[in-house]
C-alpha cells in the first residue's frame, strides 16, 4: 500500500471544475485516484487534526470552514455544519495540541481562531486584531490587508503572512484568542505569501510580488529582521511569474518553490542559513499552486492543467528531473497527507 493524500481544488464557484475533496495514493512512483471523498464548494485548502480522524476545509468562495469526519481511508462525512469565516478564506492550520484552528482570509485580511471541540467539530471563531500597514502614508488611499497563511512555530507561537501589507505577524494563543507579539515589515511591494520555519530558527518567506525568498531571524535581543534575500533565477521575473508554495526538503538543506506562470519548480540550497539559487525544473503542467515532498519525489498540484504530477528528485542537486507519473484531477490547489490516528 502506498502513501495516501487528500486533495482540495476549485469548483465552479471559484472558476474551476473540481467536485470537492478527493483521495489519491502514490506507490512506487505511480499516482492513483481513489475517488471523490466528499462533495464541497472550492475546498481550496485542507488541514488535518493531529489526534482525531478529522479533516478541515477552507470553502474559499463561500467564506466558510467545514469539518469532516474521516471514514476509512478515502471517504469523508460532514462533522457539523460549516462555520462562517472571512472573505476568501484561503489557508488553515491546526495548533499542535489540536485545540484551535487558525484561518487566514485573503479577501478581508482577517485572521480567525476557531476553538476545536472534543469531537473535532468547530465552534464560532474569534477575530484577531486587524493588520496595520507599516508603510501607510497619511492622505494616501489605504492598501488592503491580505492574510494568506498561518504557521505554528516550534516555540508554540503562530506566525501569519499579510501579502497586502508586506508584513509578518507573530502571535501567542491565549484562551483561544490570538494576542499580537510583534509585526515584522519586509520591503514594500514584496507580497509575502507563504513561509516555512527551519530547525535553526530562521524563517524563509516566499514573496508573490517580488518573486524572491527572504530569510528572517531573531537576534539575541529577540528583535526580528531580514537576514538574507535571494532571487529565483534570471528566468523568474516579478510581475510576470508568481511564486506560490515554499517547502523545506526532508533533509532541511534545500527549499522548493512553485512558480506560477513559469511552469517551474525553483530549488535553493541553504549554506550557513543563506538561500542560494540552484536552478529550476519544469513542473510538467501549468500553474503549480501547491506541492509536497514524498521521500525522493515531489507531488505538484498543477491547477490550470488539471493534474497532479509526481517528479523524481535528483540525488545530487535535489532538482526534480525525472517524471514519474501523472494523474488527471480537476483544478487541484492543495495536497495534504493522510494522518494515522
Amino acid at each position: 500500500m502506498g502513501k495516501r493524500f487528500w486533495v482540495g481544488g476549485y469548483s465552479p464557484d471559484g472558476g474551476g471544475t473540481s467536485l470537492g475533496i478527493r483521495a489519491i495514493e502514490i506507490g512506487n512512483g505511480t499516482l492513483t485516484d481513489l475517488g471523490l471523498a466528499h462533495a464541497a464548494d472550492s475546498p481550496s485548502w485542507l488541514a488535518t487534526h493531529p489526534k482525531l480522524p478529522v479533516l478541515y476545509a477552507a470553502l474559499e468562495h463561500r467564506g466558510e470552514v467545514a469539518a469532516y469526519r474521516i471514514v476509512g481511508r478515502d471517504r469523508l462525512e460532514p462533522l457539523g455544519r460549516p462555520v462562517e469565516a472571512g472573505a476568501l478564506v484561503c489557508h488553515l492550520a491546526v495548533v499542535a495540541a489540536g485545540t484551535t484552528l487558525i484561518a487566514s482570509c485573503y479577501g478581508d485580511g482577517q485572521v480567525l481562531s476557531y476553538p476545536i471541540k472534543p469531537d473535532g467539530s468547530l465552534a464560532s471563531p474569534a477575530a484577531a486584531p486587524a493588520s496595520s500597514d507599516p508603510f501607510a502614508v497619511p492622505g494616501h488611499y489605504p492598501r488592503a490587508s491580505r492574510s494568506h497563511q498561518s504557521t505554528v512555530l516550534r516555540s508554540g507561537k503562530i506566525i501569519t503572512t499579510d501579502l497586502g501589507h508586506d508584513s509578518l505577524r507573530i502571535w501567542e494563543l491565549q484562551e483561544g484568542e490570538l494576542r499580537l507579539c510583534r509585526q515584522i515589515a519586509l520591503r514594500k511591494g514584496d507580497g509575502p505569501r507563504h513561509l516555512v520555519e527551519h530547525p535553526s530558527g530562521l524563517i524563509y518567506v516566499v514573496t508573490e510580488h517580488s518573486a524572491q525568498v527572504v530569510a528572517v531571524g531573531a537576534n539575541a535581543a529577540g528583535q526580528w529582521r531580514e537576514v538574507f534575500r535571494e532571487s529565483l533565477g534570471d528566468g523568474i521575473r516579478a510581475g510576470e511569474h508568481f511564486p506560490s508554495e515554499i517547502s523545506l526538503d526532508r533533509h532541511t538543506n534545500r527549499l522548493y518553490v512553485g512558480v506560477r506562470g513559469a511552469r517551474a519548480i525553483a530549488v535553493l540550497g541553504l549554506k550557513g542559513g543563506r538561500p542560494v539559487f540552484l536552478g529550476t525544473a519544469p513542473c510538467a503542467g501549468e500553474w503549480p499552486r501547491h506541492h509536497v515532498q514524498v521521500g525522493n519525489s515531489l507531488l505538484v498540484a498543477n491547477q490550470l492543467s488539471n493534474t497532479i504530477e509526481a517528479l523524481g528528485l535528483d540525488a545530487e542537486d535535489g532538482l526534480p528531473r525525472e517524471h514519474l507519473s501523472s494523474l488527471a484531477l480537476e483544478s487541484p490547489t492543495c495536497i495534504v497527507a493522510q494522518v494515522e490516528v
Side-chain angles (χ1 to χ4, degrees):
M1 182 178 294
K3 188 169 180 59
R4 297 192 176 195
F5 296 84
W6 306 109
V7 179
Y10 279 132
S11 55
D13 69 338
T17 55
S18 172
L19 298 177
I21 302 168
R22 302 191 77 86
I24 68 170
E25 182 178 71
I26 183 169
N28 298 320
T30 300
L31 289 160
T32 303
D33 181 10
L34 302 178
L36 184 67
H38 202 280
D41 293 328
S42 289
S44 64
W45 194 269
L46 309 174
T48 55
H49 193 284
K51 300 177 181 179
L52 299 172
V54 176
L55 180 73
Y56 302 101
L59 307 181
E60 184 169 333
H61 290 272
R62 288 180 54 173
E64 295 176 332
V65 177
Y68 298 93
R69 184 180 292 109
I70 297 171
V71 182
R73 302 193 70 190
D74 55 7
R75 293 293 180 271
L76 304 168
E77 63 182 25
L79 182 59
R81 297 179 60 84
V83 182
E84 185 176 1
L88 299 180
V89 54
C90 63
H91 189 275
L92 305 173
V94 182
V95 300
T99 58
T100 307
L101 177 77
I102 310 297
S104 300
C105 306
Y106 180 84
D108 56 17
Q110 287 195 82
V111 180
L112 305 172
S113 57
Y114 293 78
I116 297 177
K117 300 176 185 178
D119 66 351
S121 59
L122 298 173
S124 296
S131 174
S132 176
D133 186 352
F135 300 99
V137 177
H140 286 245
Y141 193 80
R143 301 192 304 167
S145 171
R146 302 292 188 193
S147 297
H148 212 295
Q149 187 203 29
S150 60
T151 297
V152 182
L153 301 174
R154 288 168 173 81
S155 66
K157 290 184 170 65
I158 294 158
I159 187 167
T160 60
T161 64
D162 197 301
L163 192 151
H165 284 173
D166 300 310
S167 65
L168 316 174
R169 288 185 289 172
I170 297 178
W171 312 81
E172 286 185 343
L173 191 63
Q174 298 179 355
E175 298 180 352
E177 296 189 3
L178 292 167
R179 308 294 183 186
L180 183 63
C181 298
R182 59 183 53 84
Q183 183 181 40
I184 307 165
L186 301 184
R187 296 180 186 175
K188 187 176 183 181
D190 270 344
R193 180 182 172 93
H194 281 193
L195 57 80
V196 64
E197 183 186 20
H198 190 271
S200 67
L202 288 177
I203 293 169
Y204 296 97
V205 188
V206 67
T207 63
E208 182 170 331
H209 293 160
S210 61
Q212 295 173 315
V213 169
V214 180
V216 298
N219 60 21
Q223 298 170 321
W224 286 82
R225 70 218 185 279
E226 177 184 324
V227 291
F228 302 117
R229 181 177 288 257
E230 179 66 48
S231 74
L232 300 177
D234 294 339
I236 305 302
R237 295 175 289 276
E240 181 178 347
H241 303 131
F242 305 95
S244 53
E245 180 68 1
I246 183 170
S247 66
L248 184 65
D249 179 81
R250 62 194 180 104
H251 299 299
T252 71
N253 62 347
R254 297 187 186 99
L255 297 167
Y256 292 97
V257 177
V259 187
R260 296 165 297 170
R263 305 176 62 140
I265 302 294
V267 184
L268 298 93
L270 298 176
K271 297 182 180 180
R274 179 186 295 275
V276 178
F277 175 71
L278 297 178
T280 59
C283 66
E286 183 65 44
W287 215 250
R289 190 179 183 91
H290 190 235
H291 63 261
V292 296
Q293 188 174 357
V294 187
N296 293 320
S297 63
L298 202 68
L299 304 189
V300 183
N302 286 316
Q303 178 190 337
L304 298 185
S305 53
N306 301 302
T307 61
I308 304 287
E309 304 292 342
L311 308 175
L313 302 176
D314 187 274
E316 295 297 323
D317 59 17
L319 265 69
R321 298 186 186 279
E322 182 183 4
H323 186 249
L324 302 176
S325 65
S326 179
L327 178 65
L329 216 63
E330 299 88 350
S331 308
T333 59
C334 180
I335 308 169
V336 173
Q338 294 193 11
V339 176
E340 297 291 341
V341 295

